[in-house]
Amino acid sequence: MAKDFPQISGNMKMAPSEYIKRSCYVTCEADEADLMRPIAELGEDHILMASDYPHFDSEYPHTVSTIRARKDLTERQKAKILGENAARLLRF
């Protein structure tokens, strides 16, 4: 980081990855193959459900059921991805 951006590296109080974990959110599609990596890198609180409806590649009406059927996610992770994280981010 420092060699690429010396003008800002001295002002950073945390590693760049910590700023990303604190400030960034990513979305996933229902058929996303690997959610374990982004969950491990960003945390389950920063993954949101995406929908391409009404686009041609939308999984609608099976979007939510596809996430709910996944065996690689806990019920808590599914609840967060399917709405709790968005509600918290948008302050609903």
Side-chain angles (χ1 to χ4, degrees):
M1 175 69 179
K3 72 177 186 171
D4 293 332
F5 300 99
Q7 69 277 21
I8 64 169
S9 62
N11 296 325
M12 296 179 74
K13 307 270 189 257
M14 301 182 298
S17 59
E18 294 304 314
Y19 286 102
I20 290 171
K21 286 179 186 177
R22 184 176 76 181
S23 305
C24 295
Y25 291 79
V26 297
T27 61
C28 67
E29 301 287 336
D31 60 352
E32 203 77 45
D34 180 16
L35 283 176
M36 293 296 95
R37 184 172 180 176
I39 288 173
E41 291 181 4
L42 290 173
E44 63 191 37
D45 294 334
H46 288 260
I47 313 292
L48 309 171
M49 173 59 194
S51 171
D52 279 341
Y53 182 80
H55 299 115
F56 71 92
D57 59 345
S58 172
E59 299 289 328
Y60 180 84
H62 307 290
T63 310
V64 172
S65 61
T66 301
I67 295 275
R68 290 206 188 282
R70 291 182 72 129
K71 302 292 186 209
D72 60 332
L73 299 173
T74 67
E75 291 304 313
R76 186 75 190 123
Q77 289 169 329
K78 292 174 190 179
K80 287 180 176 187
I81 290 168
L82 289 172
E84 288 179 16
N85 291 341
R88 189 184 68 258
L89 176 64
L90 299 172
R91 297 185 176 121
F92 285 160

